[in-house]
Structure formats: structure tokens, C-alpha cells
Amino acid sequence: MLRNIVGLFKSRRDAQNTQRDLQGAGFDDDTVTVINNDSDRLDQVFAGAGMQGSDTTVYRDGLRRGETVVMARMDQDAHIERAGDIFDRHQ
């Protein structure tokens, strides 16, 4: 089962650094998504990940404030912990 890690970043640079570090840690490009100012795309990505409704409200509000969303999808607990460490480092 795929699990999602989602972060909201105040600066685009922090989001891009998170994406870069995730890719450097071996996460494929197709498992890491960065969303800037596009709530329609956010809805599509989240729907594809099984997230909807109130799960997305905080992220949609963040986009309205000019923040950037990063989502990583993975299926192994070790990957989740490693991705969480990368997210924490940049938030």
C-alpha cells in the first residue's frame, strides 16, 4: 500500500531543496510532486493519492498564501522515515 508524506513550505526554495534531497536519496521523480499556486493540480494529485475533502484544506489554504506543497509517495516504512527526515530538515 502506498503512503503519502505531504509538506507545506513557506518558500519555493525550501520545497525545491526538499525535492532535490529526496531525489538524491533515491526517490524517483514520479514519486515526488511539487505544487505551486495550482489548486486544480493539487486536487488531481491528492485525488490520485486517495486524499480528499478536509485532508486537503490546509494545503489549499497554504497555496493561497503563496506556499508550496511537496508530496512523496512510497510503500516502505524505511523510505517513509527517511523522507520524513528530509522534509523536517527543510521546513
Side-chain angles (χ1 to χ4, degrees), residues 53-81:
S54 62
D55 291 340
T56 66
T57 301
V58 69
Y59 302 106
R60 188 176 293 108
D61 290 346
L63 286 180
R64 284 189 202 114
R65 291 189 304 269
E67 297 177 33
T68 302
V69 174
V70 177
M71 183 172 85
R73 300 192 76 199
M74 61 217 63
D75 61 359
Q76 296 180 11
D77 288 340
H79 292 163
I80 292 165
E81 186 174 326

Side-chain angles (χ1 to χ4, degrees), residues 11-22:
S11 79
R12 187 174 292 182
R13 178 182 297 198
D14 288 340
Q16 290 169 336
N17 288 339
T18 300
Q19 179 184 31
R20 181 201 65 223
D21 288 355
L22 287 166

Side-chain angles (χ1 to χ4, degrees), residues 2-74:
L2 287 175
R3 293 175 55 191
N4 309 306
I5 294 181
V6 184
L8 195 57
F9 296 83
K10 292 192 185 296
S11 79
R12 187 174 292 182
R13 178 182 297 198
D14 288 340
Q16 290 169 336
N17 288 339
T18 300
Q19 179 184 31
R20 181 201 65 223
D21 288 355
L22 287 166
Q23 292 166 338
F27 293 92
D28 295 330
D29 289 345
D30 61 342
T31 63
V32 179
T33 304
V34 177
I35 304 168
N36 300 301
N37 302 322
D38 189 345
S39 62
D40 289 336
R41 182 161 180 249
L42 178 76
D43 290 339
Q44 291 173 350
V45 169
F46 280 2
M51 298 172 64
Q52 52 191 325
S54 62
D55 291 340
T56 66
T57 301
V58 69
Y59 302 106
R60 188 176 293 108
D61 290 346
L63 286 180
R64 284 189 202 114
R65 291 189 304 269
E67 297 177 33
T68 302
V69 174
V70 177
M71 183 172 85
R73 300 192 76 199
M74 61 217 63

